[in-house]
Amino acid sequence: MEFIFITLFPELIEQACGHSIIKRAVDAGLLSVYCVNPRDFTTDKHRTVDDTPCGGGVGMVLKPEPFSAAIAVAKKRSPQGLIVALTPGGKTLCQKQVEKLAGQGQDLIFLCGHYEGFDERILEQADIKISIGDYVLTGGELPALVIMDAIARFIPGVLGKAASAEEESFSSSLLEYPQYTRPIDFEGAKVPDVLLSGNHAAIKRWRRKEGIRATYCFRPDLLAKANLEEGDGSLLLEIIEELKGKQNE
Ligand code: ADE
């Protein structure tokens, strides 16, 4: 799977892809990253990529010509590539969409804007528009990298264990249970006894319960759509009783 970034700041992408898991995946040929810089398609002396907004107003707007030319190059490289525009006005990214994009296996062409935003005629060339959250960033590069990172975890071989991506939080709509490693006693904070008991059934139950507890306490909205199993209801009741007990302490 190839990730093509249409960006005025290719160094930002190259830097971000030069470390850790993504670097290893690129080196192993499991995914590839390619940048196209719209500035390379400008024809004026100043290599202008933006201009003032028609109708007036503050800020600058990205011009259609250099971006359209960059899109044409990206499309020539990957005719089946899906054009994804990064914009706060897009559909908010969620794990389900990450899994869908990963499952399609289609190359992605990220359209990264900067300054005040794209001329609408650039956005019209996108197949989909994605936002990574209800806040405004200075550009689309970080959101595009976030999407690539989340998808990369599903590409076979990128993570150590084949199953790890599915086991993580959000795939089951439950948050992760707390994890511990040595030392057993860190400045008086101890690893829960059950994790040292060797009792696999008890450990499994504790982890499930703590995943439910974290979700109930921090993301109760996720519980409604969680894939709950038999026995989860009684774990939740236990948690609620424990929390009530704590409140009365
Ligand atoms: N560009 C600026 N802010 C953004 C956001 N929240 N998501 C995607 N693209 C953006």
Side-chain angles (χ1 to χ4, degrees):
M1 188 166 179
E2 180 155 86
F3 298 89
I4 301 176
F5 294 76
I6 296 181
T7 171
L8 296 166
F9 300 96
E11 303 82 7
L12 210 159
I13 305 301
E14 284 149 15
Q15 279 268 343
C17 296
H19 307 274
S20 185
I21 293 176
I22 299 295
K23 179 184 181 339
R24 279 203 297 276
V26 171
D27 289 348
L30 299 172
L31 60 92
S32 59
V33 174
Y34 188 80
C35 292
V36 184
N37 188 344
R39 206 177 288 282
D40 293 341
F41 304 96
T42 51
T43 48
D44 64 314
K45 194 169 102 197
H46 300 292
R47 306 183 78 205
T48 312
V49 290
D50 58 0
D51 204 343
T52 52
C54 291
V58 289
M60 299 296 271
V61 178
L62 292 166
K63 288 166 66 60
E65 309 93 312
F67 275 83
S68 284
I71 292 171
V73 167
K75 267 291 191 187
K76 195 160 179 213
R77 187 173 168 92
S78 176
Q80 307 302 326
L82 189 78
I83 303 178
V84 182
L86 289 315
T87 158
K91 187 167 174 260
T92 310
L93 186 71
C94 62
Q95 187 68 6
K96 211 165 143 195
Q97 194 183 11
V98 167
E99 287 177 35
K100 188 175 162 208
L101 291 171
Q104 283 170 199
Q106 203 174 351
D107 292 346
L108 296 183
I109 300 170
F110 292 123
L111 207 41
C112 307
H114 253 270
Y115 317 115
E116 291 303 301
F118 297 106
D119 181 292
E120 190 61 23
R121 292 161 295 181
I122 306 173
L123 283 179
E124 281 165 4
Q125 297 179 54
D127 296 308
I128 51 170
K129 297 175 199 166
I130 298 183
S131 160
I132 61 159
D134 290 340
Y135 40 81
V136 182
L137 301 167
T138 57
E141 285 78 8
L142 292 176
L145 286 165
V146 164
I147 299 171
M148 181 188 72
D149 193 282
I151 291 175
R153 300 176 63 256
F154 286 91
I155 297 176
V158 168
L159 295 183
K161 258 194 310 157
S164 9
E166 283 81 20
E167 274 173 22
E168 293 286 339
S169 303
F170 292 111
S171 294
S172 66
S173 288
L174 282 183
L175 298 186
E176 284 250 277
Y177 51 79
Q179 294 268 33
Y180 295 87
T181 184
R182 275 143 290 279
I184 304 305
D185 184 333
F186 173 65
E187 298 179 353
K190 299 207 175 73
V191 174
D193 287 338
V194 62
L195 299 180
L196 309 170
S197 67
N199 180 338
H200 296 298
I203 292 171
K204 195 169 169 211
R205 182 181 191 280
W206 182 88
R207 287 181 164 163
R208 186 80 190 167
K209 184 172 168 182
E210 295 311 312
I212 294 173
R213 187 195 307 275
T215 314
Y216 178 73
C217 291
F218 302 114
R219 289 294 308 273
D221 56 304
L222 291 178
L223 265 188
K225 48 185 173 175
N227 302 320
L228 291 181
E229 297 167 0
E230 217 187 305
D232 285 344
S234 45
L235 291 177
L236 186 57
L237 286 177
E238 275 179 34
I239 292 162
I240 293 170
E241 284 309 312
E242 286 164 19
L243 291 172
K244 270 193 206 155
K246 271 202 178 145
Q247 264 176 0
N248 297 334
E249 267 173 20

